[in-house]
Amino acid sequence: MPALIGKFQHRYPKVTLEIFEDTTERLVRRLEDGELDIALLSTCDETPALERHSLGKEPLLILLPKEHQLAKKKKIKWSDLESQKFLLLHEMHCLSAQVYQFLDAHHLRPTLAVTGAQLGTIARMVAAGMGVSLVPQMMIQTELMTGCVGLPFAAPVPMRELNLVRNPLRVQSKATAAFHQEAAAAFSSQTNAG
């Protein structure tokens, strides 16, 4: 997001962006109410009242303390995680629901050490050795994860879909259309580079 927003502001210096970070459910509600022009989110459920444009899929990585016994592996298998304590987002977060689905699909019933509201806080707890977590690749690429290592999964790799979502009943401004184009281009170059 910081790179996308920086590039957008450089290309469109007269546009002032107002950014809100919230749960998917609350962002969807604000889009439906006409309070937001556009949202970048990973949708869990279809929202028939809104227009969704897929930007592509992003892999999830396992976040481990740097000194963890699995930290030296190149790829993590789901079976490697059977005895691990997990740090996950609260259930109100879309990512949490997705992670629980992946764990359930691989017959993992993790011991939860902590649930939290912010991935940054969870990463700091992982660094402190309190457990492991699943995080979006985007987080590893953009945030300093002191004391942590993010490793990819062996196939099947858990993926989440990223979407730009807008209310089709709200007039799309030129700035919103331009942001959509910039986001699509940024995500396309990310997936082609990764």
Side-chain angles (χ1 to χ4, degrees), residues 60-77:
L60 299 180
L61 305 176
I62 189 74
L63 190 66
L64 305 161
K66 275 190 177 175
E67 303 302 320
H68 194 281
Q69 75 244 17
L70 297 173
K72 293 190 181 357
K73 292 186 91 164
K74 291 193 189 278
K75 292 192 178 193
I76 298 296
K77 292 185 262 177

Side-chain angles (χ1 to χ4, degrees), residues 164-178:
L164 275 178
V165 181
R166 64 176 293 275
N167 186 334
L169 299 177
R170 186 177 169 125
V171 174
Q172 184 174 8
S173 68
K174 290 180 183 179
T176 301

